[in-house]
Amino acid sequence: MLRGYETVIRVLAKGKKDVRIKDPNKILISSEIVNLRSYVPSEFCRLLRVLDDLEYWKATELRFFFLLYSGLIVLKGKLNNQFYSHFKLLVSALRILVCDNLGQIHKQLAETFLKEFVSQYLILYGPHNVSYNVHNLVHLPMLVKMHGSLDNFSCSKYENYLQKIKVY
């Protein structure tokens, strides 16, 4: 699941010139990320990093920053409207699927958003950026129907234990 939306973020930050975020906007976004750090509750185990450190971001950072909480805020006005609307489809669908009640009630809406997201992805980012991981996003509503909210079967929460596992 993570690889699908990680692909979107990588293309926006480091993709070909015609789709990536312009350098002045990257600086503004990174500045806003730094400003948001003081507002991150202690329940989040990692603070946000700037866009230039994207290759070092952990799953929890991708999930927190770009998808569930602050991505829409820091990207507003810094992306072309078409790309921003496309990103909103992904965020809206994932916000629905992460909530226990909403995921079951509005699964069909999330599925519609994700299908539209994947179909627009080809047009916006080009066929060379479409991967199996992006296509897999379409199947998330079915998995939520089977297993409950995304948090029930996401491995992101175990990421911080990798250090302990490596020791053994």
Side-chain angles (χ1 to χ4, degrees):
M1 173 185 72
L2 176 64
R3 294 287 172 212
Y5 48 80
E6 181 182 8
T7 302
V8 175
I9 297 162
R10 289 203 188 285
V11 170
L12 283 172
K14 304 204 181 243
K16 289 192 174 190
K17 197 174 187 175
D18 57 334
V19 296
R20 76 173 173 241
I21 300 168
K22 308 297 181 236
D23 286 340
N25 286 340
K26 272 189 191 178
I27 293 167
L28 285 173
I29 291 166
S30 292
S31 172
E32 288 188 25
I33 291 170
V34 170
N35 290 338
L36 285 175
R37 285 180 181 172
S38 62
Y39 300 103
V40 176
S42 61
E43 287 78 17
F44 291 96
C45 46
R46 296 186 186 278
L47 288 177
L48 307 170
R49 294 189 239 188
V50 294
L51 278 181
D52 287 338
D53 293 339
L54 181 63
E55 59 269 7
Y56 304 110
W57 283 16
K58 302 293 183 190
T60 51
E61 291 170 288
L62 285 167
R63 183 174 185 245
F64 169 77
F65 167 63
F66 252 87
L67 296 172
L68 298 178
Y69 300 102
S70 57
L72 287 176
I73 297 166
V74 299
L75 291 178
K76 187 170 181 142
K78 294 163 195 83
L79 283 183
N80 169 311
N81 284 339
Q82 196 174 15
F83 287 97
Y84 188 71
S85 294
H86 184 248
F87 182 71
K88 285 194 299 188
L89 286 171
L90 177 64
V91 170
S92 299
L94 292 178
R95 293 290 302 254
I96 290 169
L97 296 176
V98 143
C99 297
D100 285 327
N101 297 337
L102 287 178
Q104 296 303 327
I105 296 169
H106 298 293
K107 181 186 72 68
Q108 192 64 42
L109 181 60
E111 187 174 347
T112 302
F113 287 164
L114 288 172
K115 283 181 179 176
E116 183 64 23
F117 176 83
V118 171
S119 68
Q120 285 183 19
Y121 192 92
L122 175 71
I123 298 162
L124 291 172
Y125 299 104
H128 56 283
N129 284 315
V130 176
S131 68
Y132 180 72
N133 294 325
V134 172
H135 167 77
N136 274 341
L137 293 170
V138 173
H139 301 289
L140 288 178
M142 176 193 62
L143 293 171
V144 166
K145 182 179 181 182
M146 292 168 47
H147 304 291
S149 82
L150 284 179
D151 286 340
N152 289 349
F153 58 95
S154 171
C155 294
S156 297
K157 61 186 170 187
Y158 302 110
E159 178 181 50
N160 292 318
Y161 297 106
L162 287 176
Q163 214 170 7
K164 294 176 184 176
I165 294 171
K166 287 180 183 178
V167 173
Y168 294 108

